[in-house]
Amino acid sequence: MICTNQYFNFENEVHMGEDLYTTYQGKELVLKEVYRYFGPVTMQYLPYGGIQSVFNYQLIITTKSGFITTDFVIYDGQEMPVKEFIEKFPDLVNEVLPS
């Protein structure tokens, strides 16, 4: 089920603490209360919206504002901790979330 919220454009500045709406594998993905990520990242270049890493069960995403992460997501209407989302989809790294 896709909601009517506008999907976030990762080329825009991110307001920390807000929910970002996008999709993953054709289903709605909400990144709950995002915050700035400070920590190790890989050296590959990814476009904005790219999942840079899942280091230490953190979903680390490249944005114009730098790297962001979140502790919870809502995927296809089901809220879950990021760890559960990463375990459900182990090949997330290098995926690019659509704006």
Side-chain angles (χ1 to χ4, degrees):
M1 177 176 103
I2 302 292
C3 86
T4 58
N5 289 317
Q6 185 176 16
Y7 294 121
F8 184 74
N9 182 344
F10 290 97
E11 294 182 14
N12 292 337
E13 291 292 325
V14 176
H15 296 100
M16 300 304 145
E18 71 179 5
D19 296 347
L20 303 184
Y21 292 78
T22 186
T23 61
Y24 181 69
Q25 295 186 346
K27 297 179 180 175
E28 186 171 74
L29 174 64
V30 182
L31 308 171
K32 298 293 292 173
E33 299 176 359
V34 297
Y35 57 93
R36 203 169 300 284
Y37 171 78
F38 297 102
V41 294
T42 59
M43 295 300 294
Q44 82 268 17
Y45 169 78
L46 289 174
Y48 296 142
I51 300 174
Q52 185 78 16
S53 178
V54 292
F55 178 74
N56 202 26
Y57 286 108
Q58 291 185 295
L59 189 62
I60 303 163
I61 301 169
T62 305
T63 71
K64 182 176 183 175
S65 300
F67 298 109
I68 62 167
T69 190
T70 183
D71 295 327
F72 292 92
V73 300
I74 299 174
Y75 181 68
D76 195 23
Q78 179 183 358
E79 186 166 356
M80 64 185 80
V82 167
K83 180 178 180 181
E84 183 179 335
F85 182 70
I86 291 169
E87 288 173 345
K88 187 172 186 172
F89 300 102
D91 297 324
L92 288 166
V93 175
N94 298 328
E95 289 282 332
V96 178
L97 300 173
S99 292

